Amino acid sequence: MDDLKKKQDISQEKTFRAFVNTKFKMSDLYDLHVDNLVCPDMQDGTLLLKLIHVLEGRSIVKNIKKSKITFAQLENIKTVLHFLEKEKQIHMVNIRPQQIHEGSLMYILALIWHIILFYQISSSVADPSSGRKSMSQADASKELLNWVNNSTGNDSKDFSKSFSDGTALRSLIKSVVTNDDEIDNKLNAEPGLILNKQCVEYADENLSIPIMIEPEEMAEGPNKLSMMTYLSFFKEYDDRNSKKQEKLKEQREEARKARERERDLRIKEQQEAEEREREAELEKENIIKEAQEHEKELSSQYKSELEDLQKELEEERQKSKELESKLANEAERVSALQEANANNKTLLSEQLKLIEKMMGEIKKQSSIKPIHEQVQEMEDKYKSKIKELQSELDNANNQLNEQQGTLSNFVNKINEFKSEYGSKSIKKGVPPEKEPEQPLRKRVINRDPKTLEEYKAMTIPKSLWEIEDPFIYVWKIDKSSTDFVNVVSGRRFGTFDNKGCYIVLDAKNRKNMRLHLWIGSAAPEEERYIATAKGNELERVLGKLKPGKMYYQQSCFETDEFRRLFQRFFIVGTSDSSNVEGIRLLWIKGYEQNIRVVEVPLSGKSLNHGDVFILSTTDELMLWKGKSCSKAEIAMAHDIVQHLNEQRGMSSKVMSINDEQEPDAFWDVLGGKCNVKSAASGGSDENVEVNEMKLWRLSDAEGQLDFTLIDQSSKIPLLRLCSKDIFILDTTIEIFIWIGHLASEHEKSMSLIYAQQYIYDYDLSSKTPITRVLEYDESPYFLRHFVQ
């Protein structure tokens, strides 16, 4: 009998010890593993306090401290017993702190069993609506056995003999496992010891339920308390699985409702848009009708006024001619008077000489006036006559000036009417006509192109380069159209077909216009060529008039600046209409000039304390600095962040994050907070291998396009670049298209196609950005990849 009791105690000690170790392993509060329940940590009460802390999720004392003083050790055990009896209402009989302190296995097992019964078994089989209360061993045994029978469909009578041959345990495992089609092959042994071994090993490997009872002990008839403890973990696993299924079902239902709401909202928006479009068409028709009527009224009114003005103008012209004739007559008359005056002066001078000779003869005659008085009278008479004639001449000039001013006013009025009605000559009784609109520029070729080379002859249509208003213009590439482009407006504005290509001009700021080429991932090669050719030509035209820039936008990986141009941005013709965002995590590592930049998995496990990382989302750039990183790594990271932000039009929010001071949003993007690896796990900065870049040349110098690898190293000389060709640089994290200023139009048009095909052929990430660089306009970040 004593041997049987000892054997049961050993079995219980092993099971209860496995329970304690499992709970410590599931929690990250303590790194503990108990090899024997009768140990110093159990005897001084610290193990019990830590176990209650793990099970409760809170500590029942302020500090758990080991002590060599017997009184303090007994006080720890007493605190645990008092907490279980008073707060949890667990009735424990004859268990005293001294018995635990003395290392009595019987009382230690009894205490651990009460803890298992309350925290493990009762919590899993009790009714949740009744609250968490202590259950008796009999009630817990009954509820647990009912659950086993309901799950397996068996009729197990107890926890000993019914589970000795492994059939009941196999049925229970099959009932809780729903996603293993090979379970029958894995648990295929005959009832007995081998089947027991298969069952406990399967639960340990696939359900994370540790082996608490050896298969040999189970075959001989397991201990009841040990078996109840072991089976309670299956109940706990089943409850977690059920909750996951319910949560998954709720998520699917929420997703279905969200899709319905989105569909209803889309239908409603479509109906509202159609209604607004109908109202706009109706309003447009009314405005056109009113304008036509108003134009008729104004035409009639201005016709009458114009006829009156023409009559007045004709009368004024006649008066002007009369005044000019009168003025000419007066001028002739004044000229004749001036000539007569000159003749009179000459005659008077001769008479004066004659009179002086006769003065001696007439002095005797006092009644005759002196000759100088007579001469003075004659001068005064002629002077007054000259003043009268000059006054008449001034009056005539003033009247002529007034008539000329009046005539000028009428001419100005006529010019105003001409500018309003058109520059054609005005005919009497006929309203002025508007000048006809100039026809659009036609394409050069008059037949459908059969090869890509024939697209080189195209010219940009007038509808593209005549930008009059500060709006956003969108054109879709259509090779069947006369100009190879169609304007996108109305309900199609903001919707992009993944099988096509688009040209988007942001002309809201006339001093800083931006040109975007949106390339669908399923667009044919011909349309990509046309889009690039049109974009290059449009950029060339805009460059002569206003400063402009051209950017490449890849389908589903557009910049946030580009998406904000549209109130509603949607891509059709792709398997994922939600437009997966291009989130990337870049690792910067190195020393001085020997620095490597690579893309790593999007997870917090990729971080380490010794390096710098850049987390790039659609609207944020987060620069994370490890506490042991180098200054060279930080400088390189700042250059990369500046370059990425310039690609997005300086629209992204830039954040600098220090190690161990991360915001919650940072960890949310990485899938949850986790422990950052040490600096040593990232390797040595001095021995880092720098990215090996590849430089390709695209040239048609020999009559056909040739795409050739010309250099492959971590340090490429800048002299490799030639102004006559186009070069594609692969930095492992980004593709640069360098365009020489003497490159041909055919090379420019094909550069984007070759860059996209290169990403596909060499299995690069679809999120790899493509950046366009013009010769003489290179950024410092681009030049940093070359040796000067």
Side-chain angles (χ1 to χ4, degrees):
M1 189 70 180
D2 292 339
D3 293 339
L4 179 61
K5 179 68 169 60
K6 185 177 180 181
K7 189 176 182 180
Q8 289 180 349
D9 288 346
I10 294 174
S11 177
Q12 286 183 5
E13 192 275 339
K14 181 179 180 181
T15 304
F16 293 174
R17 176 162 41 86
F19 164 79
V20 172
N21 286 330
T22 300
K23 291 302 179 182
F24 279 128
K25 183 178 180 181
M26 294 171 61
S27 172
D28 58 355
L29 295 175
Y30 304 101
D31 186 13
L32 290 178
H33 183 80
V34 180
D35 296 325
N36 195 334
L37 290 180
V38 182
C39 62
D41 287 347
M42 177 65 75
Q43 292 175 276
D44 64 10
T46 56
L47 180 62
L48 292 172
L49 289 172
K50 293 177 180 178
L51 181 59
I52 296 299
H53 186 186
V54 170
L55 295 173
E56 277 291 323
R58 62 185 180 90
S59 179
I60 60 176
V61 296
K62 290 184 179 180
N63 294 313
I64 301 176
K65 297 181 179 179
K66 295 181 68 67
S67 176
K68 296 182 179 180
I69 302 174
T70 304
F71 174 78
Q73 295 175 352
L74 290 172
E75 190 65 25
N76 289 339
I77 301 172
K78 184 179 178 181
T79 301
V80 174
L81 295 177
H82 182 270
F83 173 78
L84 296 175
E85 288 180 347
K86 297 301 182 182
E87 294 195 22
K88 300 303 177 182
Q89 300 179 0
I90 301 175
H91 183 59
M92 293 178 290
V93 180
N94 298 328
I95 299 178
R96 299 290 180 266
Q98 293 81 2
Q99 297 163 344
I100 305 299
H101 182 263
E102 292 172 356
S104 174
L105 179 60
M106 181 181 68
Y107 289 103
I108 291 174
L109 293 176
L111 176 58
I112 298 299
W113 168 247
H114 281 295
I115 292 175
I116 293 173
L117 182 62
F118 179 79
Y119 285 100
Q120 181 67 21
I121 301 176
S122 299
S123 63
S124 63
V125 299
D127 186 3
S129 61
S130 63
R132 194 177 188 183
K133 296 181 179 179
S134 177
M135 297 178 67
S136 65
Q137 180 177 326
D139 293 339
S141 175
K142 181 180 178 180
E143 292 295 332
L144 185 60
L145 192 60
N146 288 338
W147 172 78
V148 172
N149 290 333
N150 292 334
S151 299
T152 61
N154 297 337
D155 188 16
S156 301
K157 302 298 184 181
D158 54 36
F159 293 100
S160 182
K161 294 182 180 181
S162 299
F163 289 89
S164 61
D165 61 356
T167 55
L169 185 58
R170 179 172 58 185
S171 300
L172 181 61
I173 293 175
K174 289 182 178 181
S175 67
V176 300
V177 176
T178 59
N179 57 353
D180 190 354
D181 297 334
E182 300 295 328
I183 190 170
D184 291 332
N185 297 330
K186 296 176 182 178
L187 306 177
N188 58 358
E190 295 295 328
L193 177 61
I194 298 178
L195 181 58
N196 287 337
K197 186 177 181 181
Q198 288 181 346
C199 289
V200 296
E201 288 179 354
Y202 182 88
D204 184 28
E205 294 174 359
N206 298 277
L207 309 183
S208 298
I209 299 175
I211 300 175
M212 297 183 175
I213 305 173
E214 294 297 333
E216 294 80 6
E217 297 176 2
M218 192 177 295
E220 295 175 359
N223 178 267
K224 177 182 177 180
L225 303 185
S226 298
M227 198 64 194
M228 289 177 64
T229 303
Y230 186 52
L231 294 177
S232 65
F233 280 89
F234 287 91
K235 180 66 169 62
E236 186 179 46
Y237 176 84
D238 187 51
D239 292 341
R240 288 198 306 268
N241 196 27
S242 300
K243 290 180 180 178
K244 288 182 179 179
Q245 294 295 332
E246 292 177 0
K247 186 175 181 181
L248 181 60
K249 185 177 180 180
E250 292 176 358
Q251 291 176 349
R252 289 175 178 172
E253 183 64 20
E254 290 178 359
R256 184 187 63 81
K257 292 180 180 179
R259 287 194 299 271
E260 291 180 354
R261 288 194 298 269
E262 184 179 358
R263 182 195 61 194
D264 296 340
L265 180 61
R266 205 161 47 240
I267 293 174
K268 184 178 179 182
E269 290 179 350
Q270 184 177 359
Q271 292 175 348
E272 292 177 353
E274 291 176 353
E275 182 64 25
R276 289 194 298 268
E277 192 172 341
R278 286 195 296 269
E279 292 178 357
E281 289 293 335
L282 183 60
E283 184 177 359
K284 181 179 178 181
E285 292 177 358
N286 294 333
I287 292 174
I288 292 174
K289 186 176 179 180
E290 292 177 359
Q292 291 175 348
E293 294 177 355
H294 186 59
E295 186 178 0
K296 290 180 181 179
E297 294 177 359
L298 290 177
S299 177
S300 177
Q301 178 181 355
Y302 289 150
K303 180 180 178 181
S304 175
E305 293 180 358
L306 190 60
E307 291 177 352
D308 295 339
L309 288 174
Q310 289 175 340
K311 292 180 181 179
E312 293 179 2
L313 180 60
E314 192 66 28
E315 293 176 356
E316 293 298 332
R317 285 177 176 172
Q318 189 65 30
K319 291 180 179 179
S320 177
K321 290 180 179 180
E322 294 177 355
L323 288 174
E324 290 176 356
S325 176
K326 185 176 181 181
L327 182 60
N329 295 334
E330 291 294 333
E332 292 178 357
R333 180 183 173 189
V334 169
S335 178
L337 290 175
Q338 290 176 346
E339 185 179 356
N341 186 25
N343 295 331
N344 289 334
K345 284 184 178 181
T346 303
L347 180 62
L348 286 176
S349 178
E350 293 177 352
Q351 290 179 354
L352 181 60
K353 293 179 181 180
L354 180 62
I355 290 172
E356 286 178 353
K357 293 179 181 181
M358 298 174 63
M359 283 187 63
E361 299 178 0
I362 60 175
K363 284 182 179 179
K364 296 179 180 179
Q365 298 179 5
S366 57
S367 57
I368 300 174
K369 290 182 179 182
I371 188 64
H372 66 276
E373 291 182 2
Q374 295 180 12
V375 171
Q376 187 66 36
E377 288 180 359
M378 292 180 67
E379 287 182 354
D380 292 339
K381 181 178 178 180
Y382 285 114
K383 284 182 180 180
S384 62
K385 187 62 174 178
I386 291 172
K387 287 182 179 179
E388 290 178 1
L389 294 175
Q390 187 66 36
S391 176
E392 290 182 2
L393 180 61
D394 292 340
N395 291 334
N397 288 330
N398 291 335
Q399 290 180 3
L400 180 61
N401 290 333
E402 290 178 359
Q403 295 297 329
Q404 289 178 345
T406 304
L407 180 62
S408 177
N409 291 335
F410 282 113
V411 170
N412 291 335
K413 288 183 179 181
I414 291 173
N415 291 333
E416 290 177 0
F417 284 114
K418 284 182 178 181
S419 62
E420 183 174 358
Y421 285 100
S423 60
K424 290 188 174 183
S425 59
I426 302 176
K427 297 180 181 180
K428 186 174 181 180
V430 179
E433 298 179 356
K434 295 182 178 179
E435 291 185 350
E437 297 182 356
Q438 297 296 327
L440 298 179
R441 188 187 302 177
K442 297 183 179 179
R443 61 177 179 173
V444 174
I445 57 178
N446 297 319
R447 58 184 179 86
D448 293 333
K450 303 300 181 183
T451 62
L452 295 179
E453 286 72 10
E454 296 185 0
Y455 285 114
K456 295 167 61 177
M458 295 184 306
T459 58
I460 204 71
K462 185 178 180 181
S463 57
L464 283 184
W465 57 265
E466 283 197 346
I467 306 302
E468 298 293 341
D469 300 314
F471 296 126
I472 298 172
Y473 298 83
V474 180
W475 299 274
K476 185 178 186 300
I477 301 301
D478 183 5
K479 63 180 182 179
S480 63
S481 175
T482 303
D483 294 321
F484 295 103
V485 292
N486 288 326
V487 178
V488 178
S489 61
R491 288 179 294 174
R492 296 177 298 167
F493 189 80
T495 299
F496 292 80
D497 187 356
N498 199 44
K499 298 179 181 179
C501 300
Y502 294 79
I503 298 176
V504 179
L505 177 62
D506 178 11
K508 293 186 293 184
N509 185 355
R510 301 301 293 273
K511 295 182 179 180
N512 187 20
M513 293 191 293
R514 295 179 182 270
L515 182 64
H516 303 269
L517 293 187
W518 189 93
I519 308 298
S521 59
E525 186 177 0
E526 289 184 342
E527 292 193 4
R528 296 187 186 190
Y529 185 96
I530 297 173
T532 310
K534 293 291 186 181
N536 290 333
E537 188 169 356
L538 180 56
E539 183 189 37
R540 187 168 61 255
V541 175
L542 293 176
K544 296 178 180 179
L545 303 178
K546 314 168 188 67
K549 294 184 177 181
M550 185 165 67
Y551 301 89
Y552 294 139
Q553 303 291 340
Q554 301 183 64
S555 175
C556 297
F557 298 101
E558 301 83 359
T559 62
D560 192 53
E561 177 200 10
F562 179 77
R563 294 191 178 192
R564 282 201 296 264
L565 295 177
F566 308 95
Q567 294 181 352
R568 176 178 177 272
F569 181 81
F570 191 74
I571 299 177
V572 297
T574 178
S575 58
D576 184 8
S577 61
S578 61
N579 299 340
V580 178
E581 305 292 354
I583 303 177
R584 310 172 71 198
L585 182 62
L586 303 180
W587 178 20
I588 296 92
K589 182 176 184 62
Y591 179 74
E592 293 182 352
Q593 300 299 323
N594 193 32
I595 297 179
R596 180 186 64 191
V597 183
V598 294
E599 183 175 356
V600 293
L602 191 66
S603 172
K605 297 180 180 179
S606 301
L607 305 177
N608 70 77
H609 291 299
D611 298 317
V612 179
F613 292 81
I614 297 174
L615 181 58
S616 172
T617 66
T618 55
D619 54 357
E620 289 183 331
L621 292 169
M622 307 180 193
L623 192 154
W624 184 88
K625 296 176 288 187
K627 54 187 177 183
S628 300
C629 66
S630 65
K631 294 182 179 179
E633 293 170 342
I634 297 176
M636 171 63 87
H638 279 293
D639 287 347
I640 296 175
V641 168
Q642 177 68 16
H643 170 67
L644 294 176
N645 202 14
E646 288 176 355
Q647 283 184 324
R648 306 175 180 184
M650 305 302 289
S651 63
S652 293
K653 179 182 178 182
V654 178
M655 298 174 59
S656 180
I657 301 174
N658 293 324
D659 195 353
E660 298 181 352
Q661 297 180 6
E662 302 87 354
D664 294 338
F666 176 81
W667 291 113
D668 291 342
V669 178
L670 294 178
K673 188 174 182 180
C674 63
N675 294 328
V676 179
K677 293 186 292 187
S678 64
S681 64
S684 173
D685 289 344
E686 298 180 0
N687 298 328
V688 68
E689 295 182 0
V690 182
N691 299 14
E692 186 177 67
M693 299 178 292
K694 296 179 181 179
L695 184 64
W696 299 78
R697 180 177 63 197
L698 182 64
S699 175
D700 61 357
E702 297 181 358
Q704 60 181 5
L705 283 176
D706 182 26
F707 189 60
T708 309
L709 177 64
I710 63 171
D711 204 333
Q712 182 175 357
S713 65
S714 60
K715 297 180 179 180
I716 299 176
L718 186 62
L719 294 176
R720 286 287 194 181
L721 303 179
C722 176
S723 301
K724 296 181 179 180
D725 298 319
I726 288 178
F727 292 82
I728 295 178
L729 176 66
D730 177 11
T731 67
T732 70
I733 64 169
E734 186 172 5
I735 299 296
F736 287 97
I737 300 177
W738 186 88
I739 300 177
H741 74 282
L742 299 178
S744 66
E745 294 301 322
H746 187 43
E747 292 173 342
K748 295 178 182 178
S749 301
M750 292 298 295
S751 59
L752 177 60
I753 298 175
Y754 271 82
Q756 292 176 328
Q757 188 65 31
Y758 176 80
I759 293 175
Y760 175 79
D761 290 342
Y762 285 82
D763 295 328
L764 301 184
S765 172
S766 59
K767 297 180 289 185
T768 304
I770 299 176
T771 302
R772 183 170 173 271
V773 180
L774 299 179
E775 186 179 9
Y776 305 130
D777 193 24
E778 299 90 345
S779 64
Y781 177 76
F782 173 78
L783 296 175
R784 191 168 186 168
H785 295 87
F786 295 88
V787 178
Q788 300 293 334

